Amino acid sequence: MRSRLFVGAVACVLCASACGGVATGSKTSSSSTDCGNQVKIGAPYPLSGDWAENGQNSLQGMEIAAAAINADGGIKNLKGAKIDIVSADTSSDNPAQAKTVTTNMLQGGDIAAIVGSYLSSLTLTTVVATESAHVPLITQSYVDELTQKGYKYVFQIAPKASAFGATTIKALQGLYKNAGKPLKSIVIVGGDDASNKAQADAVGTSAKTAGLTVADTVVFPDGLTDAQPIVGKIVAAKADAIVLGGNLPDMSLIIKGVRAQGVNTPIAAPGGGGGLTPQFAPTLGALSDGVMDLAAWNEDLQLPGVKEASAAYNKQYKQFMPQEAGESWAAVYEIAQVMNDKKTCDPQKIADGLRTTEFTSGPASAIPPGKVAYDKSGANKYITPVMVQWQSGDLKTIYPEKLATAKPILD
């Protein structure tokens, strides 16, 4: 893993992209004279429970961005104001708590923007709080519903669940074809949270549209203690591919159970979840090799600032920089760029800037394919999911070919 600090390199990137730090601002502030010397960006994430690792990774990605921006002199057009990341624990399984902690976070009127809350079931309530307060929310949650309700302050940096479903099938078909392997049927297995259910539905619809047989669809509750009933259904399906979503503890139980039955069918996750966490390979050891997952971001992408950020993340946290950390890292840079360009820390003006800005350079653009812009619904209109695969303990991008850094292994 890369381990060198990237302050000098990031400084160059920041100068080129006009992204700096941020400042503590009230909802009524609109210029550098109003913002003080610090701006707060909220980070409501699951920091306890089954999804705590993903929430912590997301928070750490924000902190890496803030540290680099602050070290480079802060937001230049806000008199060098610095970013302060304010975190709160949403829990992993209580959407009401996600709304409450976000509401409490916003009561002081000094939060310029929010990035959160990773898990879709949590973000669906977080967004209620941010909409009420008229504060922009950049989220890496997948559920389509976020951009279907007419919200004015939500910005979905990640692909929608429906896009993940279609891309999962398209990627598997392409990879199987190139490997000379038949792909006629799949079995869909996933947790019962909002995101996983939406992704499973999208995968099923896309599979049928592509002429594939869905041998079975298995839904399980988060927090499995016994995976054998699920494993039995997977084995009985005798499918050509297993599409498996869920958190790390649940996925690891299922994968260990399936492999213990002598089933070596390729496994692909339909986006996010436990398959992208740094602990996936250490938890599963050799069983992690070959497992694929669809991602909105990966640390080996050849995009602005990614190499430097992942090096800093590795040095700071002693692990590679996962998808959710990369998304939240880029989100902070987007907020910073808007504040710098518009010379404001006012949430309304930041939201306006996010709606109208095309991020085409610097770390703010470092989401596949290398540019970001939000449509009227708040969806990222350019997002391109990538298929990644665990190979010898590292997560490698294998699809699409133009972004791939390694060849796929389907044996």
Side-chain angles (χ1 to χ4, degrees):
M1 285 292 183
R2 298 181 292 270
S3 61
R4 62 185 178 82
L5 192 61
F6 70 106
V7 171
V10 165
C12 294
V13 173
L14 292 176
C15 291
S17 63
C19 292
V22 207
T24 306
S26 69
K27 292 182 182 179
T28 60
S29 58
S30 60
S31 72
S32 61
T33 58
D34 299 323
C35 293
N37 59 10
Q38 190 181 70
V39 66
K40 295 179 181 179
I41 299 178
Y45 280 109
L47 303 177
S48 61
D50 288 338
W51 295 97
E53 182 179 356
N54 304 91
Q56 189 64 48
N57 293 339
S58 301
L59 175 59
Q60 290 170 177
M62 294 179 69
E63 290 173 340
I64 286 291
I69 292 167
N70 292 344
D72 190 49
I75 299 292
K76 303 301 195 308
N77 288 335
L78 294 181
K79 298 181 179 179
K82 302 296 193 293
I83 296 174
D84 180 25
I85 304 298
V86 180
S87 66
D89 184 10
T90 61
S91 83
S92 287
D93 57 5
N94 187 351
Q97 181 172 325
K99 181 182 177 182
T100 298
V101 300
T102 305
T103 299
N104 291 342
M105 181 181 288
L106 294 170
Q107 282 181 343
D110 59 351
I111 299 293
I114 296 281
V115 181
S117 288
Y118 179 74
L119 195 62
S120 292
S121 57
L122 302 176
T123 307
L124 286 170
T125 59
T126 297
V127 70
V128 175
T130 55
E131 288 291 310
S132 296
H134 296 177
V135 172
L137 165 67
I138 299 182
T139 181
Q140 63 265 77
S141 295
Y142 302 149
V143 65
D144 290 43
E145 186 178 345
L146 283 167
T147 51
Q148 293 176 340
K149 287 193 169 185
Y151 291 138
K152 303 300 183 184
Y153 297 90
V154 67
F155 302 90
Q156 191 173 35
I157 196 171
K160 297 180 181 181
S162 56
F164 267 122
T167 305
T168 298
I169 297 304
K170 182 179 179 181
L172 286 174
Q173 286 183 309
L175 293 170
Y176 271 60
K177 181 180 179 180
N178 291 341
K181 294 175 66 70
L183 179 62
K184 298 180 179 180
S185 65
I186 64 171
V187 57
I188 303 171
V189 188
D192 63 358
D193 63 87
S195 180
N196 273 305
K197 288 193 288 187
Q199 288 170 255
D201 289 345
V203 169
T205 298
S206 297
K208 292 173 183 177
T209 300
L212 302 181
T213 298
V214 178
D216 199 357
T217 299
V218 184
V219 179
F220 58 84
D222 286 349
L224 288 175
T225 56
D226 180 11
Q228 287 311 305
I230 293 96
V231 170
K233 292 180 180 180
I234 295 172
V235 174
K238 297 181 180 179
D240 297 322
I242 300 167
V243 179
L244 170 63
N247 59 47
L248 175 57
D250 293 340
M251 287 186 71
S252 64
L253 279 177
I254 293 169
I255 292 171
K256 288 176 181 177
V258 168
R259 296 308 189 220
Q261 294 293 319
V263 176
N264 294 315
T265 304
I267 297 173
L276 298 177
T277 63
Q279 293 305 310
F280 187 81
T283 298
L284 283 162
L287 294 181
S288 68
D289 273 359
V291 175
M292 297 172 280
D293 204 335
L294 211 61
W297 191 90
N298 196 36
E299 73 159 11
D300 66 351
L301 291 169
Q302 304 300 303
L303 296 175
V306 171
K307 181 178 180 180
E308 294 83 5
S310 61
Y313 193 96
N314 177 267
K315 182 171 184 176
Q316 179 72 26
Y317 302 113
K318 311 304 180 187
Q319 62 185 27
F320 80 86
M321 191 173 184
Q323 169 193 255
E324 59 270 20
E327 292 169 307
S328 61
W329 165 80
V332 170
Y333 273 102
E334 290 177 11
I335 295 166
Q337 180 173 327
V338 168
M339 287 193 289
N340 188 67
D341 290 349
K342 305 300 181 182
K343 302 180 182 179
T344 186
C345 52
D346 175 71
Q348 179 66 60
K349 290 183 172 61
I350 293 170
D352 292 341
L354 289 170
R355 292 188 196 103
T356 58
T357 300
E358 291 235 352
F359 301 97
T360 57
S361 63
S365 71
I367 298 289
K371 58 182 178 179
V372 177
Y374 298 102
D375 65 19
K376 291 182 179 180
S377 73
N380 180 356
K381 60 186 179 182
Y382 295 127
I383 186 66
T384 302
V386 296
M387 184 70 84
V388 297
Q389 184 178 51
W390 286 98
Q391 297 183 4
S392 302
D394 292 325
L395 202 54
K396 300 293 186 181
T397 301
I398 60 171
Y399 177 92
E401 189 173 350
K402 64 182 179 181
L403 296 174
T405 61
K407 293 183 179 180
I409 301 171
L410 295 179
D411 296 333

